[in-house]
Amino acid sequence: MHIICTTLNAKYIHTNLAIRYLKAYAQPEFDVELVEYTIKDPVLNIVTDLYRRKPDVIGFSCYIWNIEQTIEVVQLLKKVHPTVTIVVGGPEVSYDVAYWLERVPEFDYIVIGEGEETFKQLLTALERGEDVANIAGIAYHQNGKAVINPQRNKINLANMPSPFRFPEDIPHLSKRVTYVETSRGCPFSCQFCLSSIEVGVRYFDREKIKEDLRYLMKHGAKVIKFVDRTFNISRSYAMDMFQFLIDEHVPGVVFQFEITADIMRPEVIQFLNEQAPSGLFRFEIGVQSTNDEVNKLVMRKQNFEKLTRTVTMVKQGGKIAQHLDLIAGLPEEDYTSFRKTFNDVFALRPEELQLGFLKMLRGTGLRHKANEYGYVFMDRAPYEILRNNVLSFHDIIRLKQVEDVLEKYWNDHRMDETIEYIVTHLFDTPFDFFQSFGTYWDEQGWARIGHQLEDLFRRLYSFLQTIDINDLPIVEALMKYDYLRNQKQKPRKPWWDEKTDKHVRAHVYEQLSKQPHLLSLTEKELFKHTVVEMIPFDLPHYLQTKHVRRCDMAMIVYFNQTTMKAETYFLEVDTN
Protein backbone atom coordinates (compact mmCIF):
# COMPACT_ATOMS: atom_id res chain seq x y z
CA MET A 1 0.00 0.00 0.00
CA HIS A 2 1.57 3.28 -1.15
CA ILE A 3 0.88 6.05 1.38
CA ILE A 4 1.58 9.75 0.90
CA CYS A 5 1.28 12.48 3.52
CA THR A 6 1.23 15.96 2.08
CA THR A 7 0.25 19.57 2.64
CA LEU A 8 0.27 22.95 0.94
CA ASN A 9 2.58 25.23 2.92
CA ALA A 10 2.12 28.99 2.92
CA LYS A 11 5.69 29.48 1.66
CA TYR A 12 8.44 27.34 0.20
CA ILE A 13 10.70 27.93 3.22
CA HIS A 14 8.13 26.39 5.59
CA THR A 15 8.07 22.73 6.56
CA ASN A 16 5.15 20.81 7.99
CA LEU A 17 5.75 19.18 11.35
CA ALA A 18 2.43 17.31 11.50
CA ILE A 19 3.04 15.04 8.52
CA ARG A 20 6.48 14.19 9.88
CA TYR A 21 4.96 13.05 13.16
CA LEU A 22 2.49 10.92 11.18
CA LYS A 23 5.31 9.30 9.23
CA ALA A 24 7.42 8.67 12.33
CA TYR A 25 4.49 7.20 14.27
CA ALA A 26 3.43 4.94 11.39
CA GLN A 27 6.86 3.30 11.19
CA PRO A 28 7.96 0.55 10.95
CA GLU A 29 4.63 -0.98 9.90
CA PHE A 30 4.07 1.63 7.18
CA ASP A 31 6.49 3.54 4.98
CA VAL A 32 4.94 6.94 4.40
CA GLU A 33 6.19 9.19 1.59
CA LEU A 34 6.29 12.91 2.43
CA VAL A 35 5.53 15.46 -0.28
CA GLU A 36 5.11 19.19 0.28
CA TYR A 37 3.77 21.94 -2.00
CA THR A 38 2.85 25.59 -1.52
CA ILE A 39 -0.42 27.44 -1.90
CA LYS A 40 1.13 29.30 -4.85
CA ASP A 41 1.67 26.10 -6.85
CA PRO A 42 -0.92 25.63 -9.61
CA VAL A 43 -3.53 23.10 -8.50
CA LEU A 44 -3.19 21.04 -11.68
CA ASN A 45 0.56 20.77 -11.15
CA ILE A 46 -0.01 19.37 -7.66
CA VAL A 47 -2.62 16.92 -8.92
CA THR A 48 -0.35 15.79 -11.73
CA ASP A 49 2.57 15.20 -9.37
CA LEU A 50 0.47 13.23 -6.89
CA TYR A 51 -1.15 11.17 -9.67
CA ARG A 52 2.24 10.19 -11.08
CA ARG A 53 3.32 8.87 -7.69
CA LYS A 54 0.51 6.25 -7.88
CA PRO A 55 -0.68 6.47 -4.25
CA ASP A 56 -3.29 4.25 -2.62
CA VAL A 57 -3.81 6.60 0.33
CA ILE A 58 -3.12 10.35 0.56
CA GLY A 59 -3.27 12.25 3.84
CA PHE A 60 -3.64 16.04 3.67
CA SER A 61 -2.77 18.36 6.57
CA CYS A 62 -5.35 21.18 6.54
CA TYR A 63 -5.19 24.74 7.88
CA ILE A 64 -7.03 28.00 7.23
CA TRP A 65 -4.35 29.10 4.77
CA ASN A 66 -4.59 26.00 2.55
CA ILE A 67 -8.01 24.43 2.96
CA GLU A 68 -9.62 25.93 -0.15
CA GLN A 69 -6.73 24.95 -2.43
CA THR A 70 -6.60 21.53 -0.76
CA ILE A 71 -10.25 20.96 -1.59
CA GLU A 72 -9.59 21.82 -5.24
CA VAL A 73 -6.69 19.35 -5.31
CA VAL A 74 -8.76 16.59 -3.70
CA GLN A 75 -11.73 17.07 -6.03
CA LEU A 76 -9.55 16.96 -9.13
CA LEU A 77 -7.63 13.94 -7.83
CA LYS A 78 -10.85 12.02 -7.34
CA LYS A 79 -11.78 12.72 -10.96
CA VAL A 80 -8.54 11.30 -12.36
CA HIS A 81 -7.86 8.69 -9.67
CA PRO A 82 -11.26 7.66 -8.23
CA THR A 83 -9.90 4.72 -6.22
CA VAL A 84 -7.43 6.74 -4.14
CA THR A 85 -8.38 7.03 -0.46
CA ILE A 86 -8.35 10.62 0.77
CA VAL A 87 -7.70 11.27 4.47
CA VAL A 88 -7.69 14.81 5.84
CA GLY A 89 -6.71 16.10 9.25
CA GLY A 90 -5.48 19.21 11.00
CA PRO A 91 -7.05 22.10 12.91
CA GLU A 92 -9.22 23.33 10.04
CA VAL A 93 -11.19 20.09 9.65
CA SER A 94 -11.22 18.96 13.29
CA TYR A 95 -14.21 21.20 14.06
CA ASP A 96 -17.62 21.36 12.36
CA VAL A 97 -16.83 17.88 11.05
CA ALA A 98 -20.35 17.26 9.77
CA TYR A 99 -20.06 20.41 7.66
CA TRP A 100 -16.88 19.16 6.00
CA LEU A 101 -18.31 15.73 5.28
CA GLU A 102 -21.28 17.34 3.60
CA ARG A 103 -19.38 20.04 1.73
CA VAL A 104 -16.59 17.77 0.44
CA PRO A 105 -17.89 14.23 -0.16
CA GLU A 106 -14.51 13.48 -1.74
CA PHE A 107 -13.07 13.35 1.79
CA ASP A 108 -13.11 9.63 2.55
CA TYR A 109 -11.96 10.05 6.17
CA ILE A 110 -11.45 12.98 8.50
CA VAL A 111 -9.00 12.52 11.38
CA ILE A 112 -10.20 14.61 14.33
CA GLY A 113 -7.70 16.26 16.67
CA GLU A 114 -4.37 14.64 17.51
CA GLY A 115 -3.81 12.31 14.60
CA GLU A 116 -0.78 10.06 15.07
CA GLU A 117 -2.47 7.04 16.65
CA THR A 118 -5.72 7.49 14.75
CA PHE A 119 -3.98 7.66 11.37
CA LYS A 120 -1.93 4.56 12.07
CA GLN A 121 -5.00 2.58 13.14
CA LEU A 122 -6.82 3.73 10.03
CA LEU A 123 -3.95 2.61 7.80
CA THR A 124 -3.94 -0.78 9.49
CA ALA A 125 -7.66 -1.21 8.93
CA LEU A 126 -7.41 -0.14 5.28
CA GLU A 127 -4.53 -2.51 4.59
CA ARG A 128 -6.33 -5.46 6.21
CA GLY A 129 -9.75 -4.58 4.82
CA GLU A 130 -11.17 -4.30 8.34
CA ASP A 131 -14.09 -2.27 9.64
CA VAL A 132 -13.16 1.26 10.80
CA ALA A 133 -16.21 1.64 13.04
CA ASN A 134 -14.23 1.21 16.26
CA ILE A 135 -11.43 3.63 15.45
CA ALA A 136 -11.71 6.65 17.74
CA GLY A 137 -11.26 10.10 16.26
CA ILE A 138 -12.38 9.57 12.66
CA ALA A 139 -15.37 10.66 10.61
CA TYR A 140 -16.61 9.20 7.32
CA HIS A 141 -19.66 8.40 5.21
CA GLN A 142 -21.52 5.11 5.57
CA ASN A 143 -24.57 4.32 3.47
CA GLY A 144 -24.94 8.00 2.64
CA LYS A 145 -24.87 9.11 6.29
CA ALA A 146 -22.16 10.87 8.25
CA VAL A 147 -20.47 8.81 10.98
CA ILE A 148 -18.43 10.76 13.54
CA ASN A 149 -16.60 8.61 16.07
CA PRO A 150 -15.71 10.06 19.50
CA GLN A 151 -12.30 11.72 19.78
CA ARG A 152 -9.59 9.56 21.34
CA ASN A 153 -7.65 10.24 24.53
CA LYS A 154 -4.49 12.30 24.29
CA ILE A 155 -1.25 10.58 23.32
CA ASN A 156 1.55 10.18 25.84
CA LEU A 157 4.02 12.64 24.32
CA ALA A 158 6.97 11.18 26.24
CA ASN A 159 6.78 8.10 24.01
CA MET A 160 6.54 9.95 20.71
CA PRO A 161 9.17 9.07 18.09
CA SER A 162 11.33 11.78 16.57
CA PRO A 163 9.92 13.44 13.42
CA PHE A 164 13.35 14.67 12.32
CA ARG A 165 15.37 11.58 11.43
CA PHE A 166 14.43 11.23 7.78
CA PRO A 167 17.41 11.26 5.37
CA GLU A 168 15.37 12.95 2.66
CA ASP A 169 15.00 16.05 4.87
CA ILE A 170 18.72 16.63 5.40
CA PRO A 171 19.42 18.50 2.09
CA HIS A 172 16.69 21.03 2.91
CA LEU A 173 17.48 21.82 6.56
CA SER A 174 19.70 24.80 5.80
CA LYS A 175 17.20 26.36 3.38
CA ARG A 176 13.95 26.11 5.33
CA VAL A 177 12.46 26.84 8.72
CA THR A 178 12.46 23.78 10.98
CA TYR A 179 9.57 23.60 13.44
CA VAL A 180 10.05 21.96 16.84
CA GLU A 181 7.40 21.10 19.39
CA THR A 182 8.33 20.60 23.05
CA SER A 183 4.77 20.78 24.41
CA ARG A 184 1.14 20.70 23.32
CA GLY A 185 -1.69 22.70 24.75
CA CYS A 186 -1.94 26.15 26.32
CA PRO A 187 -2.69 27.24 29.90
CA PHE A 188 -4.74 30.21 28.76
CA SER A 189 -8.31 30.51 27.46
CA CYS A 190 -8.23 33.27 24.84
CA GLN A 191 -11.54 32.84 23.05
CA PHE A 192 -10.24 33.71 19.59
CA CYS A 193 -7.59 30.96 19.67
CA LEU A 194 -7.92 27.23 18.97
CA SER A 195 -5.36 26.47 21.66
CA SER A 196 -7.91 27.54 24.29
CA ILE A 197 -9.97 24.42 23.54
CA GLU A 198 -7.34 21.96 24.72
CA VAL A 199 -7.13 21.86 28.51
CA GLY A 200 -3.69 21.72 30.11
CA VAL A 201 -0.14 21.55 28.84
CA ARG A 202 1.68 18.28 28.07
CA TYR A 203 5.40 17.96 27.49
CA PHE A 204 7.55 15.82 25.25
CA ASP A 205 10.56 14.06 26.72
CA ARG A 206 13.10 16.79 27.36
CA GLU A 207 16.20 14.71 26.64
CA LYS A 208 14.76 13.45 23.36
CA ILE A 209 14.10 17.04 22.33
CA LYS A 210 17.69 17.95 23.09
CA GLU A 211 18.94 15.02 21.01
CA ASP A 212 16.72 16.17 18.14
CA LEU A 213 18.12 19.68 18.38
CA ARG A 214 21.67 18.36 18.32
CA TYR A 215 20.81 16.31 15.25
CA LEU A 216 19.22 19.28 13.46
CA MET A 217 22.14 21.58 14.16
CA LYS A 218 24.66 18.92 13.14
CA HIS A 219 22.90 18.50 9.80
CA GLY A 220 22.72 22.19 8.92
CA ALA A 221 19.44 23.61 10.26
CA LYS A 222 19.72 27.41 10.42
CA VAL A 223 16.30 28.61 11.63
CA ILE A 224 14.58 26.51 14.30
CA LYS A 225 11.18 27.72 15.46
CA PHE A 226 9.50 26.35 18.58
CA VAL A 227 5.76 26.12 18.02
CA ASP A 228 4.81 25.80 21.70
CA ARG A 229 1.94 28.17 22.38
CA THR A 230 3.67 29.52 25.52
CA PHE A 231 7.26 28.37 25.64
CA ASN A 232 7.95 30.00 29.02
CA ILE A 233 4.90 28.77 30.93
CA SER A 234 7.25 26.62 33.02
CA ARG A 235 10.15 28.80 34.11
CA SER A 236 12.36 25.84 35.07
CA TYR A 237 11.71 24.11 31.74
CA ALA A 238 12.38 27.26 29.73
CA MET A 239 15.56 28.05 31.67
CA ASP A 240 16.87 24.53 31.14
CA MET A 241 16.25 24.77 27.39
CA PHE A 242 17.72 28.28 27.15
CA GLN A 243 20.86 27.09 28.95
CA PHE A 244 21.11 24.04 26.70
CA LEU A 245 20.81 26.14 23.54
CA ILE A 246 23.37 28.66 24.78
CA ASP A 247 25.82 25.89 25.69
CA GLU A 248 25.44 23.71 22.59
CA HIS A 249 24.28 25.95 19.75
CA VAL A 250 26.10 25.96 16.45
CA PRO A 251 27.13 29.46 15.28
CA GLY A 252 24.70 30.83 12.70
CA VAL A 253 21.63 29.04 14.08
CA VAL A 254 18.65 31.14 15.20
CA PHE A 255 15.97 29.88 17.63
CA GLN A 256 12.52 31.47 17.67
CA PHE A 257 10.00 31.19 20.50
CA GLU A 258 6.44 32.29 21.21
CA ILE A 259 6.55 33.65 24.74
CA THR A 260 4.08 35.25 27.13
CA ALA A 261 5.94 38.40 28.10
CA ASP A 262 4.08 39.42 31.24
CA ILE A 263 4.94 36.18 33.07
CA MET A 264 8.66 36.28 32.27
CA ARG A 265 10.66 37.05 35.38
CA PRO A 266 13.29 39.83 35.29
CA GLU A 267 16.02 37.42 36.43
CA VAL A 268 15.34 35.24 33.37
CA ILE A 269 15.76 38.22 31.05
CA GLN A 270 18.89 39.30 32.90
CA PHE A 271 20.30 35.80 32.44
CA LEU A 272 19.60 35.93 28.69
CA ASN A 273 21.02 39.43 28.35
CA GLU A 274 24.22 38.31 30.06
CA GLN A 275 24.65 34.79 28.69
CA ALA A 276 22.97 34.49 25.28
CA PRO A 277 25.05 35.28 22.18
CA SER A 278 23.64 38.14 20.14
CA GLY A 279 21.16 36.96 17.50
CA LEU A 280 20.77 33.44 18.90
CA PHE A 281 17.17 33.95 20.10
CA ARG A 282 14.12 35.68 18.68
CA PHE A 283 10.89 36.23 20.63
CA GLU A 284 7.36 36.42 19.26
CA ILE A 285 4.95 38.08 21.70
CA GLY A 286 1.20 38.26 21.25
CA VAL A 287 -0.07 41.54 22.71
CA GLN A 288 -3.32 41.68 20.67
CA SER A 289 -4.83 44.57 22.66
CA THR A 290 -3.86 46.85 25.52
CA ASN A 291 -7.52 47.52 26.38
CA ASP A 292 -8.21 45.61 29.62
CA GLU A 293 -11.97 45.49 29.06
CA VAL A 294 -11.48 44.02 25.59
CA ASN A 295 -9.12 41.40 26.98
CA LYS A 296 -11.65 40.41 29.63
CA LEU A 297 -14.31 39.82 26.99
CA VAL A 298 -12.08 37.23 25.29
CA MET A 299 -10.90 35.73 28.61
CA ARG A 300 -7.37 36.95 28.00
CA LYS A 301 -5.24 37.67 31.05
CA GLN A 302 -2.55 40.24 30.40
CA ASN A 303 -0.60 42.68 32.53
CA PHE A 304 0.62 45.27 30.04
CA GLU A 305 2.84 46.95 32.62
CA LYS A 306 4.79 43.71 33.16
CA LEU A 307 4.77 43.01 29.42
CA THR A 308 6.31 46.45 28.86
CA ARG A 309 8.97 45.70 31.47
CA THR A 310 9.91 42.47 29.69
CA VAL A 311 10.01 43.95 26.19
CA THR A 312 12.02 46.95 27.42
CA MET A 313 14.55 44.82 29.31
CA VAL A 314 15.03 42.54 26.31
CA LYS A 315 15.45 45.52 23.98
CA GLN A 316 17.96 47.14 26.31
CA GLY A 317 19.95 43.90 26.30
CA GLY A 318 20.35 44.32 22.55
CA LYS A 319 20.71 40.61 21.84
CA ILE A 320 17.19 39.32 21.14
CA ALA A 321 14.95 40.61 18.34
CA GLN A 322 11.25 40.86 19.22
CA HIS A 323 8.16 40.46 17.03
CA LEU A 324 4.95 41.78 18.62
CA ASP A 325 1.45 40.96 17.36
CA LEU A 326 -1.76 42.99 17.42
CA ILE A 327 -5.26 41.83 16.48
CA ALA A 328 -7.72 44.36 15.08
CA GLY A 329 -11.40 43.51 15.51
CA LEU A 330 -11.60 42.06 19.01
CA PRO A 331 -14.95 42.56 20.78
CA GLU A 332 -15.74 46.18 21.65
CA GLU A 333 -12.37 47.48 20.39
CA ASP A 334 -13.39 50.31 18.10
CA TYR A 335 -11.12 52.36 15.83
CA THR A 336 -10.19 54.84 18.57
CA SER A 337 -9.38 52.09 21.07
CA PHE A 338 -7.26 50.25 18.51
CA ARG A 339 -5.39 53.47 17.72
CA LYS A 340 -4.43 53.61 21.40
CA THR A 341 -3.44 49.93 21.40
CA PHE A 342 -1.21 50.53 18.38
CA ASN A 343 0.46 53.55 19.94
CA ASP A 344 0.93 51.80 23.28
CA VAL A 345 2.80 48.97 21.60
CA PHE A 346 4.67 51.04 19.02
CA ALA A 347 6.08 53.07 21.91
CA LEU A 348 8.09 49.96 22.79
CA ARG A 349 9.75 50.13 19.34
CA PRO A 350 9.75 46.39 18.67
CA GLU A 351 11.90 45.22 15.78
CA GLU A 352 8.69 43.99 14.15
CA LEU A 353 5.08 44.92 14.81
CA GLN A 354 2.46 42.86 13.02
CA LEU A 355 -1.05 44.19 12.61
CA GLY A 356 -3.34 41.21 12.07
CA PHE A 357 -7.12 41.00 11.71
CA LEU A 358 -9.38 38.79 13.77
CA LYS A 359 -10.25 35.46 12.19
CA MET A 360 -13.33 33.63 13.44
CA LEU A 361 -11.78 30.18 13.63
CA ARG A 362 -14.02 27.11 13.70
CA GLY A 363 -14.33 25.70 17.19
CA THR A 364 -13.42 28.87 19.07
CA GLY A 365 -15.59 30.45 21.73
CA LEU A 366 -15.64 33.78 19.95
CA ARG A 367 -17.06 32.22 16.79
CA HIS A 368 -19.89 30.76 18.86
CA LYS A 369 -20.60 34.26 20.22
CA ALA A 370 -20.32 36.02 16.87
CA ASN A 371 -23.89 37.27 16.87
CA GLU A 372 -23.51 38.79 20.32
CA TYR A 373 -20.96 41.26 18.98
CA GLY A 374 -22.47 41.70 15.54
CA TYR A 375 -19.65 39.98 13.67
CA VAL A 376 -19.86 39.67 9.92
CA PHE A 377 -17.02 37.61 8.48
CA MET A 378 -15.91 35.66 5.44
CA ASP A 379 -17.88 32.45 4.92
CA ARG A 380 -14.76 30.52 3.97
CA ALA A 381 -11.21 30.40 5.27
CA PRO A 382 -9.53 32.44 6.58
CA TYR A 383 -12.86 33.65 8.11
CA GLU A 384 -11.50 37.17 8.53
CA ILE A 385 -13.95 39.69 9.98
CA LEU A 386 -15.54 42.32 7.75
CA ARG A 387 -17.18 44.33 10.53
CA ASN A 388 -18.77 44.12 13.96
CA ASN A 389 -20.95 46.30 16.17
CA VAL A 390 -18.19 48.87 16.89
CA LEU A 391 -15.87 48.52 13.88
CA SER A 392 -17.27 49.25 10.43
CA PHE A 393 -15.98 47.86 7.15
CA HIS A 394 -14.72 51.39 6.41
CA ASP A 395 -12.67 51.21 9.61
CA ILE A 396 -11.30 47.82 8.54
CA ILE A 397 -10.23 49.31 5.19
CA ARG A 398 -8.41 52.12 6.96
CA LEU A 399 -6.60 49.70 9.26
CA LYS A 400 -5.59 47.62 6.23
CA GLN A 401 -3.94 50.77 4.89
CA VAL A 402 -1.96 51.06 8.12
CA GLU A 403 -0.94 47.41 7.89
CA ASP A 404 0.36 47.85 4.34
CA VAL A 405 2.80 50.69 5.02
CA LEU A 406 3.73 49.40 8.49
CA GLU A 407 5.08 46.24 6.90
CA LYS A 408 7.03 48.08 4.21
CA TYR A 409 8.37 51.00 6.20
CA TRP A 410 8.84 49.71 9.75
CA ASN A 411 9.20 45.94 9.75
CA ASP A 412 11.54 45.83 6.77
CA HIS A 413 13.91 48.38 8.38
CA ARG A 414 14.70 50.16 5.15
CA MET A 415 14.67 53.63 6.71
CA ASP A 416 14.78 53.41 10.48
CA GLU A 417 16.14 56.87 11.21
CA THR A 418 13.69 58.48 8.80
CA ILE A 419 10.60 56.83 10.25
CA GLU A 420 11.73 57.50 13.81
CA TYR A 421 12.05 61.20 13.05
CA ILE A 422 8.69 61.35 11.28
CA VAL A 423 6.69 59.61 14.01
CA THR A 424 8.43 61.61 16.73
CA HIS A 425 8.42 65.11 15.20
CA LEU A 426 5.87 65.38 12.41
CA PHE A 427 2.72 63.63 13.64
CA ASP A 428 0.75 63.57 16.87
CA THR A 429 1.23 59.81 17.20
CA PRO A 430 2.92 57.02 15.22
CA PHE A 431 -0.48 55.60 14.29
CA ASP A 432 -1.48 58.93 12.72
CA PHE A 433 1.55 58.83 10.43
CA PHE A 434 0.95 55.25 9.30
CA GLN A 435 -2.75 55.97 8.78
CA SER A 436 -2.19 59.19 6.83
CA PHE A 437 0.52 57.69 4.68
CA GLY A 438 -1.39 54.41 4.25
CA THR A 439 -4.46 56.27 3.03
CA TYR A 440 -2.37 58.32 0.59
CA TRP A 441 -0.62 55.14 -0.60
CA ASP A 442 -3.96 53.47 -1.27
CA GLU A 443 -5.44 56.51 -3.02
CA GLN A 444 -2.45 56.63 -5.39
CA GLY A 445 -3.15 53.02 -6.41
CA TRP A 446 0.24 51.84 -5.15
CA ALA A 447 -1.30 48.97 -3.18
CA ARG A 448 -2.12 47.27 -6.49
CA ILE A 449 1.29 47.52 -8.16
CA GLY A 450 4.80 46.32 -7.44
CA HIS A 451 7.66 48.45 -6.21
CA GLN A 452 11.43 48.62 -6.17
CA LEU A 453 13.43 49.95 -3.22
CA GLU A 454 13.79 53.36 -4.86
CA ASP A 455 10.01 53.52 -5.35
CA LEU A 456 9.49 53.25 -1.60
CA PHE A 457 11.66 56.29 -0.98
CA ARG A 458 10.09 58.30 -3.80
CA ARG A 459 6.58 57.51 -2.59
CA LEU A 460 7.29 58.51 0.98
CA TYR A 461 8.88 61.76 -0.24
CA SER A 462 5.87 62.40 -2.47
CA PHE A 463 3.57 61.98 0.53
CA LEU A 464 5.66 64.30 2.70
CA GLN A 465 5.45 66.98 0.04
CA THR A 466 1.65 66.98 0.39
CA ILE A 467 1.69 67.90 4.07
CA ASP A 468 2.67 71.25 5.51
CA ILE A 469 6.01 70.69 7.25
CA ASN A 470 9.08 72.86 7.70
CA ASP A 471 11.35 69.88 8.30
CA LEU A 472 11.29 68.41 4.80
CA PRO A 473 15.03 69.09 4.18
CA ILE A 474 15.84 67.30 7.46
CA VAL A 475 13.71 64.29 6.53
CA GLU A 476 15.13 64.25 3.00
CA ALA A 477 18.67 64.10 4.42
CA LEU A 478 17.71 61.24 6.73
CA MET A 479 16.13 59.39 3.80
CA LYS A 480 19.32 59.74 1.79
CA TYR A 481 21.34 58.53 4.78
CA ASP A 482 19.09 55.48 5.26
CA TYR A 483 19.16 54.68 1.57
CA LEU A 484 22.90 54.96 1.07
CA ARG A 485 24.07 53.24 4.24
CA ASN A 486 22.15 50.09 3.32
CA GLN A 487 23.68 49.77 -0.16
CA LYS A 488 26.59 47.49 -1.02
CA GLN A 489 27.52 49.24 -4.26
CA LYS A 490 27.39 52.85 -5.35
CA PRO A 491 23.86 53.17 -6.75
CA ARG A 492 23.65 53.94 -10.44
CA LYS A 493 20.39 55.81 -10.09
CA PRO A 494 19.37 56.82 -6.55
CA TRP A 495 15.79 57.76 -5.74
CA TRP A 496 16.47 61.51 -5.80
CA ASP A 497 17.75 63.88 -8.46
CA GLU A 498 21.38 64.48 -7.54
CA LYS A 499 21.94 68.19 -6.97
CA THR A 500 25.44 68.44 -5.51
CA ASP A 501 27.38 70.95 -7.58
CA LYS A 502 30.60 69.51 -9.02
CA HIS A 503 32.56 72.44 -7.57
CA VAL A 504 31.12 71.70 -4.11
CA ARG A 505 31.99 68.04 -4.54
CA ALA A 506 35.55 68.95 -5.54
CA HIS A 507 35.78 71.20 -2.47
CA VAL A 508 34.66 68.32 -0.23
CA TYR A 509 37.22 65.98 -1.76
CA GLU A 510 39.90 68.60 -1.21
CA GLN A 511 38.92 68.86 2.47
CA LEU A 512 39.00 65.07 2.73
CA SER A 513 42.51 64.92 1.32
CA LYS A 514 43.64 67.10 4.21
CA GLN A 515 42.21 64.60 6.70
CA PRO A 516 43.54 61.19 5.61
CA HIS A 517 42.64 59.72 9.00
CA LEU A 518 38.99 59.95 7.89
CA LEU A 519 39.20 58.41 4.44
CA SER A 520 42.38 57.78 2.50
CA LEU A 521 41.55 57.17 -1.16
CA THR A 522 42.95 58.21 -4.50
CA GLU A 523 41.05 60.79 -6.54
CA LYS A 524 39.94 58.07 -8.94
CA GLU A 525 38.64 55.87 -6.09
CA LEU A 526 36.79 58.81 -4.60
CA PHE A 527 34.90 59.53 -7.79
CA LYS A 528 34.24 55.86 -8.50
CA HIS A 529 33.20 54.59 -5.08
CA THR A 530 31.75 57.52 -3.14
CA VAL A 531 28.62 59.62 -3.07
CA VAL A 532 28.66 63.17 -1.71
CA GLU A 533 25.48 64.86 -0.51
CA MET A 534 25.13 68.22 1.20
CA ILE A 535 22.76 68.13 4.16
CA PRO A 536 21.46 71.01 6.30
CA PHE A 537 22.25 69.73 9.80
CA ASP A 538 24.82 67.89 11.91
CA LEU A 539 23.74 64.31 11.31
CA PRO A 540 26.35 62.60 13.57
CA HIS A 541 25.28 64.88 16.42
CA TYR A 542 21.62 64.03 15.75
CA LEU A 543 22.30 60.28 15.68
CA GLN A 544 23.86 60.54 19.13
CA THR A 545 21.52 63.03 20.79
CA LYS A 546 18.37 63.11 18.60
CA HIS A 547 18.79 66.89 18.63
CA VAL A 548 18.98 68.85 15.36
CA ARG A 549 21.88 71.31 15.10
CA ARG A 550 21.61 73.17 11.81
CA CYS A 551 24.72 73.67 9.73
CA ASP A 552 26.06 72.91 6.26
CA MET A 553 27.52 69.44 6.28
CA ALA A 554 28.82 67.06 3.66
CA MET A 555 27.83 63.42 3.93
CA ILE A 556 30.35 61.21 2.16
CA VAL A 557 29.38 57.57 1.68
CA TYR A 558 32.17 55.23 0.60
CA PHE A 559 31.20 51.85 -0.82
CA ASN A 560 34.01 49.59 0.35
CA GLN A 561 34.63 46.94 -2.31
CA THR A 562 36.42 44.67 0.13
CA THR A 563 33.81 44.50 2.88
CA MET A 564 30.87 45.23 0.54
CA LYS A 565 29.54 47.68 3.08
CA ALA A 566 28.83 51.39 3.02
CA GLU A 567 30.99 53.61 5.24
CA THR A 568 29.65 57.03 6.15
CA TYR A 569 31.77 60.12 6.87
CA PHE A 570 30.79 63.71 7.63
CA LEU A 571 32.50 67.05 7.20
CA GLU A 572 31.21 70.45 8.22
CA VAL A 573 31.77 72.53 5.10
CA ASP A 574 31.51 76.20 4.24
CA THR A 575 29.84 76.18 0.81
CA ASN A 576 29.96 79.95 0.29
Side-chain angles (χ1 to χ4, degrees), residues 67-68 92 99 103 362 377-384:
I67 184 63
E68 295 302 325
E92 179 54 21
Y99 163 83
R103 181 184 163 192
R362 294 181 182 276
F377 56 94
M378 299 174 181
D379 293 330
R380 295 189 174 177
Y383 314 115
E384 192 168 290

Side-chain angles (χ1 to χ4, degrees), residues 39-58:
I39 55 176
K40 293 183 179 179
D41 292 333
V43 167
L44 189 57
N45 289 7
I46 298 172
V47 171
T48 300
D49 186 62
L50 288 170
Y51 175 82
R52 286 173 174 167
R53 294 173 187 270
K54 297 181 169 56
D56 299 298
V57 178
I58 306 180

Side-chain angles (χ1 to χ4, degrees), residues 514-540:
K514 296 176 182 178
Q515 303 183 56
H517 63 283
L518 282 181
L519 186 60
S520 181
L521 296 174
T522 66
E523 184 177 350
K524 180 179 179 181
E525 288 173 326
L526 282 171
F527 277 94
K528 187 174 182 181
H529 297 302
T530 65
V531 171
V532 175
E533 281 294 320
M534 298 305 300
I535 58 177
F537 71 112
D538 187 340
L539 183 50

Side-chain angles (χ1 to χ4, degrees), residues 88-105:
V88 295
E92 179 54 21
V93 293
S94 287
Y95 305 94
D96 296 343
V97 178
Y99 163 83
W100 290 116
L101 286 173
E102 181 180 356
R103 181 184 163 192
V104 193

Side-chain angles (χ1 to χ4, degrees), residues 22 52 158 249 281 349 385 397 431 513 529 554:
L22 294 175
R52 286 173 174 167
H249 77 278
F281 298 144
R349 298 300 192 267
I385 70 158
I397 292 171
F431 180 88
S513 67
H529 297 302

